[in-house]
Amino acid sequence: MADLLKLLNSEQQKAVTHTDGPLLIVAGAGTGKTTVISQRIGYLIQEVGCRPEEILALTFTDKAAGEMEARVDQLLPYGYVDLWISTFHSFAERILQAHALEIGLSGDFKLLNTTSQWLLIRRHLDKLALDYYRPLGNPTKFVHALIKHFSRAKDENISPSEYLNYAENLKMNSDSTEFVKTMIDEAARKQLSKKELKEVLSQEINKQLEVADAYHVYQQLLLDNNFLDFGDLINYTLKLFQQRKNLLARYRTQFKYILVDEFQDTNYAQYELLKLLAAPNNNLTVVGDDDQSIYKFRGASIANILQFKKDFPRSQEVFLTTNYRNRQNILDLSYVFIQQNNPERLEVKLAAEKKLCKKLSAATSGLAEILHLHGQTAADEAGLVAKKIINLYNQSQENSWSDFAILVRANSSADIFTYVLNQARIPFNFVASKGLYSKDIVLDILAYLKLLDNYHEGPALYRVLSWPLWQLSQAEVVNFNYWAKRKGQSLYEILRQAAVWPEISASTQKKAANVLGLIEKHSQLAKDKKTTEIIQAFLADTGYLKELTSADTAVNREKLNYLNQFYKKVGAFEKENQTALLKDFMELMELELAAGEEGGLQKNWEEEGPDTVKIMTIHAAKGLEFKYVFIVNLVDKRFPSIGKNDPIELPAKLIKEAIPDGDIHLQEERRLMYVAMTRAKQGLYLTSAADYGGARDKKLSRFLTELSQYGLELSKESRPAEKDNSKNEPMPSRPVIKEKAVLPAKFSFTQIKAFESCPYQYRFAHILKVPTKGNKNFSFGKTMHATLQQFFQLINTRRGSAQASLFGEKQQLKTSPDELLKIYQKCFIDDWYASRREKEEYYEKGREALKEFYQKHSGSWPVALYLEHPFNLKIKGQKQSYSLFGVVDRIDRLGEGLKIVDYKTGQPKTKLTAEEKEQLLIYQLAAQAVLKEPVKELAFYYLENNQEVSFLGSAKELDNLQVKIIGTIEEIKRGEFPPKPSQLCHYCDFRDICDYREN
């Protein structure tokens, strides 16, 4: 740790080594705030002596949390068992899952996204009693506006009862002068007669009552259906700690230190939760930059970072101003630009007290290229960007495509850039948070599934026939469609008649018959099989999956990624609706599309993506950096965008956060531009065009005009007298790209064993991540694990409650077999059983095993210290350390040491081979390294006969295993996955798409 501290500058060292009390770290762009937070966590663990679970670190995105955890992982030499590094919502969800019953909620609640909220309200629209906000022509027109409104209320921690009281008080005080001033501004009042004024006031009151009542009904709908939305996670956790002081005291004791990244993005409710949890010691470190607050639309309150000094007047302050990312001229231009937001900036607010100067100093020498590029049309602008990227790429062998980013203000602006980069053969990745349902592979699957429900879905069948898989030419497909229209029949009927048409060749008839046969086969499956099983059959029988996995290209990997995400969505639907069939899922899809849902997209931030130019919104680029950044569409009304008020505004009287003065929207847009500019390390390119397809040419963005006053030279082509000839210039050539496999950043026992069995199988499972069929054994195993986890949690809760009485007598720990079986019934997963009879047989087998388990242990329950507990173990190779992660079923207290238990639902064994012991030996290594306690016993517990097979790894066995694991990981790192056919091929999940399988 001392060596690492030497690498930090003095202000960073001060932040890392701060001990007790509140700390405000104002961290400018590129000043190493993530490094500071990560090293502060490492310092608290290694130097102050905190356990990892005694530190709570919160941020706002899974990406940021993952990056922070990865950095802390590198700092801790032995790994860890439990790190509380997460988003605010994940933290709150974890707390509520453990303690929801304390405030009358169920711990197995379902979390709703915006689309699920829309569907819930749509189903119960009549209960909301809407009038003003329910137009007759489109009853659901305002549903999204209501959802956003309810979310804003929860950001401010406004309860439905509080909102109702406010609305009812309005009605009671409608005659007061203050009320009239609050509801209608002076200019409007002067234009109204007394009668009109009274009517307007009555209408406003009724609107407020209607919204308040709708909020109350919506919240009750959530409770009635065991649902929570994201705002509920924070508010109910806040309520839990406010009402249950014993739990608050427990977590205050556990979390000795709290750290918050991106503090400027917290909302009012989140800040209240922080203050409550941090008291009374207030070991609260917040890191932020008011100039990078860009999430007002999500409820972020910039006032929080301004308020921190008032709430904690004795807080220490550290200002990080040494920038390790950008060249100095980018920093200087960005600084004078953001000062246009004065005086509503922290720098100005603290100027009198601390003389804070947020002007950043570059640690790197040299100047960046800063250019304005202007095209006549949007296509010209995109062409200029593509040419500049190729020229920069060709300038140095050190440049890679991932050094470039094109930042758009809105996703809709990206289309022309994706088109032009594709034409220029520049590899790119459009990084978006939405759009899964518009991806080709998902559209293909949905089209096929539609046919199974209705053969006569013409557009769907046309798409399916156009797949290259069938080897039907475009002319043949068009011909089928022509005859369908001419005959007035469905495309499906024409396909069925193909066999009797002499004009159609025998080869085409055979292809058509193949398509029809598969549709009919899978239609039969759709009558009683789940959608995931149908998708699996479709992928295998059509050859679609084999085609996708035949070549390891960036395009195929991307398609497989989208396939995985869609498959998980279908699986999640089936988990929530266990009797649902294909028609039920397709009905959901229709409703989601009607709600405007585009399908969420996820990215695995732990793994480095392919070498591509990134196209993304500025919001998505927050926290990232690139050598060269293009900020595009810098014209009037595009960036800065036009400010829009919320369709249903929150009453000012209810808002608890402090609202800054001035043009709030323009200030936020300027901060967004500042964030975009400070992503660039060596090159910043600001682009625009005159013609975007409207009736008039666009004016340059006011931001370009402001920047030109501070030294930015505007492109000559942006002057009306000059003609742009960029479209006539040829696109420069670009080199051929050699694609590389994307390797995992972390490894697990499952991955290690998969590679040892067959590297080619490993490629399918962990590189391409091909979705696999479930199986009954997996369903049954998950059921038994979940049942025992919840039962031991119940035992631990009661053990904690069975404290000594006033007379020193211990209460008896009471449990019953019925409680265990009730948990089992709730946890039972009924997926992937071949028949109802087989499912019932397994269900009964589980019941009998659990009965015997209860009888065997009743009265002497093990003291389970950890249940389903994750770990991250560091294993040191010759050149680097590798992270090995996993989850331990149970760790018991055994005398002065630990006993590690792993449940097995497979065939019981009396003697274990060396390879069969490896899983528990890894757990032994992890427990000894991270928990710092001796392991006394390892046990596989076979639930089928309730027998244990115990052993303990010797030092030699543990050393040999580490050597073996390191060797396997280093083989994986080479990126070569040759096939290894064996008898195991008969049981491989990927047998049907593998050309090397042993028959």
Side-chain angles (χ1 to χ4, degrees):
M1 197 74 217
D3 291 337
L4 290 171
L5 289 174
K6 291 177 184 177
L7 301 176
L8 305 178
N9 63 44
S10 59
E11 290 302 305
Q12 289 176 326
Q13 287 182 19
K14 183 179 175 183
V16 168
T17 58
H18 172 81
T19 51
D20 296 339
L23 172 65
L24 170 63
I25 304 174
V26 180
T31 56
K33 69 177 180 63
T34 306
T35 298
V36 167
I37 297 172
S38 304
Q39 293 211 17
R40 177 159 171 72
I41 294 173
Y43 180 84
L44 291 171
I45 294 171
Q46 293 189 44
E47 303 298 326
V48 178
C50 286
R51 296 179 69 87
E53 60 268 25
E54 293 176 334
I55 300 168
L56 173 64
L58 298 171
T59 187
F60 284 85
T61 64
D62 291 325
K63 169 187 169 293
E67 182 182 353
M68 194 185 301
E69 184 172 336
R71 293 206 186 190
V72 172
D73 178 38
Q74 292 172 359
L75 294 173
L76 301 180
Y78 302 108
Y80 51 84
V81 171
D82 196 11
L83 274 177
W84 286 71
I85 297 177
S86 69
T87 64
F88 270 88
H89 290 112
S90 295
F91 165 70
E93 185 176 10
R94 183 173 177 178
I95 294 294
L96 289 177
Q97 284 175 340
H99 307 292
L101 289 173
E102 298 278 352
I103 51 172
L105 299 174
S106 172
D108 60 348
F109 57 81
K110 178 190 173 186
L111 189 60
L112 299 188
N113 59 20
T114 302
T115 299
S116 298
Q117 291 172 271
W118 188 91
L119 294 171
L120 176 68
I121 292 177
R122 183 185 183 277
R123 284 198 300 269
H124 301 280
L125 201 58
D126 56 322
K127 294 181 181 178
L128 269 65
L130 298 175
D131 180 23
Y132 185 89
Y133 290 109
R134 186 174 183 174
L136 292 177
N138 182 5
T140 61
K141 179 179 179 180
F142 289 107
V143 170
H144 277 303
L146 286 168
I147 291 169
K148 185 175 181 181
H149 187 73
F150 300 156
S151 177
R152 279 289 296 117
K154 291 179 181 183
D155 290 342
E156 296 287 330
N157 195 27
I158 300 167
S159 67
S161 58
E162 188 178 353
Y163 207 142
L164 275 173
N165 289 337
Y166 163 79
E168 289 166 356
N169 285 335
L170 286 182
K171 193 171 185 178
M172 292 171 60
N173 299 300
S174 60
D175 295 330
S176 70
T177 305
E178 183 182 353
F179 168 77
V180 175
K181 289 181 180 179
T182 303
M183 300 300 289
I184 305 173
D185 63 57
E186 186 177 358
R189 291 200 303 272
K190 289 180 179 179
Q191 303 298 321
L192 300 172
S193 66
K194 287 186 177 180
K195 182 179 179 182
E196 289 172 331
L197 181 61
K198 189 172 182 180
E199 288 176 358
V200 171
L201 288 172
S202 176
Q203 186 180 61
E204 288 298 320
I205 291 169
N206 288 336
K207 279 169 58 179
Q208 294 291 353
L209 282 168
E210 182 175 314
V211 172
D213 185 63
Y215 184 26
H216 175 77
V217 172
Y218 165 74
Q219 199 62 27
Q220 193 58 49
L221 284 171
L222 292 175
L223 292 171
D224 291 345
N225 291 278
N226 197 25
F227 295 153
L228 296 184
D229 62 26
F230 282 95
D232 286 331
L233 292 175
I234 305 298
N235 291 358
Y236 279 129
T237 303
L238 191 55
K239 180 180 179 181
L240 174 74
F241 288 147
Q242 287 169 337
Q243 294 186 357
R244 299 291 179 260
K245 301 300 182 185
N246 59 325
L247 286 174
L248 176 60
R250 168 181 162 182
Y251 282 103
R252 279 178 172 174
T253 301
Q254 176 178 339
F255 299 128
K256 291 181 170 57
Y257 293 90
I258 301 175
L259 298 89
V260 184
D261 190 16
E262 306 289 8
F263 183 63
Q264 75 277 354
D265 294 330
T266 53
N267 60 40
Y268 177 86
Q270 289 165 341
Y271 187 28
E272 289 298 298
L273 178 60
L274 285 173
K275 288 189 289 187
L276 184 66
L277 198 53
N281 295 326
N282 293 325
N283 292 329
L284 174 62
T285 297
V286 300
V287 187
D289 179 10
D290 59 305
D291 289 333
Q292 297 186 72
S293 178
I294 58 173
Y295 291 107
K296 182 65 183 172
F297 70 95
R298 292 184 186 170
S301 172
I302 192 175
N304 285 350
I305 198 167
L306 305 175
Q307 182 71 23
F308 188 83
K309 277 297 295 178
K310 296 178 182 178
D311 293 333
F312 303 98
R314 296 183 179 180
S315 65
Q316 296 294 308
E317 294 157 4
V318 175
F319 305 126
L320 304 181
T321 56
T322 302
N323 174 283
Y324 298 93
R325 174 191 300 157
N326 317 96
R327 299 292 170 86
Q328 189 64 54
N329 55 336
I330 291 178
L331 297 176
D332 291 343
L333 189 62
S334 302
Y335 179 64
V336 293
F337 173 76
I338 198 60
Q339 283 184 301
Q340 306 303 306
N341 273 359
N342 288 345
E344 299 302 320
R345 294 176 60 243
L346 189 65
E347 183 175 40
V348 177
K349 301 288 185 183
L350 294 182
E353 179 188 351
K354 288 286 182 182
K355 296 182 180 179
L356 166 64
C357 178
K358 293 184 66 180
K359 181 175 172 58
L360 303 178
S361 300
T364 53
S365 60
L367 295 177
E369 183 177 44
I370 304 177
L371 287 180
H372 172 226
L373 305 175
H374 184 81
Q376 185 59 33
T377 66
D380 293 338
E381 178 188 6
L384 286 169
V385 170
K387 290 168 188 173
K388 187 64 178 178
I389 289 174
I390 293 175
N391 284 330
L392 288 168
Y393 182 88
N394 291 338
Q395 278 179 14
S396 172
Q397 291 185 349
E398 294 181 359
N399 285 336
S400 63
W401 295 114
S402 55
D403 287 329
F404 299 88
I406 299 172
L407 304 186
V408 296
R409 177 62 184 85
N411 280 324
S412 56
S413 302
D415 293 346
I416 186 64
F417 294 96
T418 60
Y419 174 79
V420 170
L421 262 61
N422 189 53
Q423 291 296 305
R425 297 188 303 114
I426 298 174
F428 69 90
N429 183 19
F430 178 30
V431 183
S433 59
K434 293 284 185 181
L436 178 64
Y437 298 162
S438 64
K439 301 304 179 185
D440 283 344
I441 188 168
V442 176
L443 290 172
D444 286 348
I445 295 171
L446 288 173
Y448 193 81
L449 294 179
K450 279 182 182 178
L451 289 178
L452 306 187
D453 188 48
N454 180 3
Y455 292 158
H456 306 292
E457 278 275 358
L461 183 53
Y462 186 87
R463 183 180 184 91
V464 169
L465 290 175
S466 300
W467 295 346
L469 284 171
W470 316 119
Q471 297 181 342
L472 285 165
S473 70
Q474 190 63 30
E476 289 173 314
V477 177
V478 169
N479 190 42
F480 281 131
N481 205 45
Y482 165 78
W483 284 108
K485 290 181 179 179
R486 180 166 176 175
K487 296 286 187 181
Q489 295 179 319
S490 71
L491 185 56
Y492 178 79
E493 288 296 332
I494 295 298
L495 215 61
R496 287 186 62 188
Q497 297 168 23
V500 298
W501 285 18
E503 297 90 344
I504 296 179
S505 68
S507 172
T508 303
Q509 290 177 14
K510 185 177 180 180
K511 294 171 188 175
N514 181 34
V515 176
L516 289 175
L518 288 172
I519 291 173
E520 289 170 7
K521 174 185 175 181
H522 297 146
S523 296
Q524 293 301 313
L525 290 179
K527 292 179 180 178
D528 57 7
K529 296 296 182 182
K530 295 193 173 184
T531 308
T532 46
E533 295 181 65
I534 297 166
I535 292 174
Q536 285 283 352
F538 149 72
L539 291 171
D541 295 344
T542 60
Y544 200 119
L545 189 58
K546 187 171 184 178
E547 184 73 21
L548 269 183
T549 56
S550 60
D552 189 11
T553 66
V555 171
N556 281 354
R557 286 198 300 269
E558 188 175 50
K559 287 183 177 181
L560 283 164
N561 179 28
Y562 297 142
L563 170 61
N564 263 293
Q565 293 187 43
F566 185 71
Y567 191 79
K568 286 177 183 176
K569 178 193 168 50
V570 180
F573 168 77
E574 292 176 349
K575 186 176 180 181
E576 295 162 10
N577 307 272
Q578 294 195 1
T579 59
L581 297 175
L582 175 63
K583 60 182 178 60
D584 303 298
F585 176 73
M586 296 306 292
E587 181 182 348
L588 171 70
M589 287 301 305
E590 286 183 21
L591 289 171
E592 286 200 8
L593 293 171
E597 176 60 49
E598 300 172 52
L601 286 168
Q602 298 175 342
K603 179 175 177 61
N604 185 358
W605 294 101
E606 289 186 352
E607 297 174 9
E608 186 181 352
D611 185 20
T612 58
V613 174
K614 302 300 186 292
I615 305 174
M616 62 178 71
T617 65
I618 301 169
H619 285 97
K622 178 74 184 299
L624 303 178
E625 59 182 43
F626 304 90
K627 268 191 186 180
Y628 309 102
V629 167
F630 295 79
I631 307 174
V632 301
N633 292 175
L634 281 165
V635 293
D636 186 42
K637 295 184 174 61
R638 287 204 169 198
F639 195 15
S641 65
I642 302 171
K644 295 179 182 178
N645 292 328
D646 289 338
I648 307 173
E649 292 191 5
L650 204 60
K653 285 275 188 181
L654 287 174
I655 296 176
K656 298 170 183 176
E657 66 172 286
I659 305 297
D661 296 326
D663 188 333
I664 297 172
H665 174 73
L666 182 59
Q667 289 171 16
E668 176 117 342
E669 289 289 293
R670 192 172 280 112
R671 290 193 295 269
L672 195 60
M673 181 68 175
Y674 176 81
V675 166
M677 293 172 68
T678 53
R679 300 310 96 194
K681 295 159 72 174
Q682 297 180 22
L684 175 61
Y685 306 94
L686 311 172
T687 76
S688 56
D691 181 6
Y692 287 90
R696 298 179 181 177
D697 282 356
K698 288 282 189 182
K699 295 180 181 179
L700 292 182
S701 165
R702 64 177 291 169
F703 290 166
L704 283 176
T705 305
E706 290 175 8
L707 290 167
S708 70
Q709 297 172 10
Y710 298 106
L712 174 68
E713 184 177 346
L714 296 180
S715 170
K716 292 180 180 180
E717 283 81 3
S718 64
R719 301 170 190 171
E722 305 251 358
K723 184 179 179 182
D724 175 54
N725 296 312
S726 61
K727 61 185 176 183
N728 297 321
E729 298 174 5
M731 190 71 68
S733 61
R734 42 139 296 197
V736 178
I737 308 300
K738 184 179 180 181
E739 297 176 340
K740 298 179 180 178
V742 181
L743 300 176
K746 292 183 177 181
F747 299 88
S748 68
F749 175 74
T750 302
Q751 287 186 38
I752 300 292
K753 298 309 290 183
F755 187 85
E756 289 175 355
S757 297
C758 175
Y760 203 63
Q761 177 205 34
Y762 177 90
R763 168 183 173 268
F764 282 127
H766 300 287
I767 302 298
L768 301 180
K769 298 182 179 176
V770 176
T772 59
K773 295 179 181 179
N775 63 70
K776 60 191 177 187
N777 294 322
F778 182 73
S779 297
F780 184 66
K782 283 191 70 175
T783 295
M784 299 297 281
H785 277 71
T787 301
L788 291 172
Q789 178 193 6
Q790 292 186 26
F791 185 65
F792 272 103
Q793 284 173 340
L794 177 66
I795 289 173
N796 285 349
T797 300
R798 291 186 180 164
R799 182 175 276 126
S801 301
Q803 302 296 327
S805 70
L806 290 173
F807 303 101
E809 295 176 355
K810 291 220 173 172
Q811 299 174 14
Q812 187 177 358
L813 183 62
K814 293 182 179 179
T815 60
S816 73
D818 289 341
E819 287 177 312
L820 176 58
L821 296 178
K822 187 175 181 181
I823 293 172
Y824 173 67
Q825 183 180 19
K826 186 177 75 170
C827 291
F828 189 79
I829 301 169
D830 67 350
D831 293 340
W832 301 105
Y833 292 99
S835 64
R836 182 176 178 178
R837 179 179 177 182
E838 185 179 63
K839 179 176 68 177
E840 290 172 350
E841 288 174 352
Y842 268 80
Y843 182 82
E844 190 58 35
K845 182 171 77 169
R847 273 180 57 91
E848 293 303 314
L850 290 171
K851 284 181 185 178
E852 186 178 338
F853 181 89
Y854 185 90
Q855 292 171 358
K856 182 172 182 175
H857 299 286
S858 180
S860 58
W861 294 110
V863 178
L865 300 177
Y866 302 98
L867 297 165
E868 297 293 330
H869 213 65
F871 68 85
N872 194 322
L873 173 66
K874 285 289 187 61
I875 296 183
K876 294 182 180 179
Q878 289 184 348
K879 296 181 180 179
Q880 68 178 99
S881 294
Y882 301 108
S883 290
L884 198 65
F885 68 93
V887 178
V888 184
D889 291 346
R890 206 177 83 217
I891 302 179
D892 297 341
R893 170 63 65 204
L894 188 63
E896 297 298 318
L898 304 173
K899 176 180 178 179
I900 298 176
V901 180
D902 188 79
Y903 302 123
K904 294 294 181 185
T905 53
Q907 288 297 315
K909 296 188 177 181
T910 55
K911 190 174 181 180
L912 301 171
T913 65
E915 287 194 351
E916 288 168 340
K917 291 180 179 181
E918 287 179 352
Q919 181 181 4
L920 280 181
L921 291 177
I922 289 173
Y923 295 169
Q924 182 179 345
L925 281 169
Q928 290 177 172
V930 180
L931 296 177
K932 309 294 185 186
E933 291 197 61
V935 175
K936 300 290 188 181
E937 184 180 346
L938 304 173
F940 283 118
Y941 191 101
Y942 293 93
L943 292 164
E944 187 168 317
N945 64 354
N946 277 281
Q947 297 296 318
E948 281 187 357
V949 177
S950 300
F951 61 97
L952 187 64
S954 66
K956 184 178 180 181
E957 285 178 308
L958 297 177
D959 288 341
N960 290 341
L961 178 60
Q962 290 190 72
V963 171
K964 182 180 178 182
I965 289 171
I966 291 168
T968 303
I969 290 176
E970 289 177 347
E971 279 191 70
I972 293 171
K973 288 287 187 179
R974 293 193 188 101
E976 298 173 359
F977 309 103
K980 190 178 173 182
S982 71
Q983 288 295 320
L984 295 175
C985 292
H986 295 282
Y987 311 102
C988 180
D989 288 328
F990 311 104
R991 174 179 173 79
D992 293 338
I993 57 173
C994 180
D995 291 327
Y996 305 98
R997 65 183 182 271
E998 183 175 288
N999 294 320

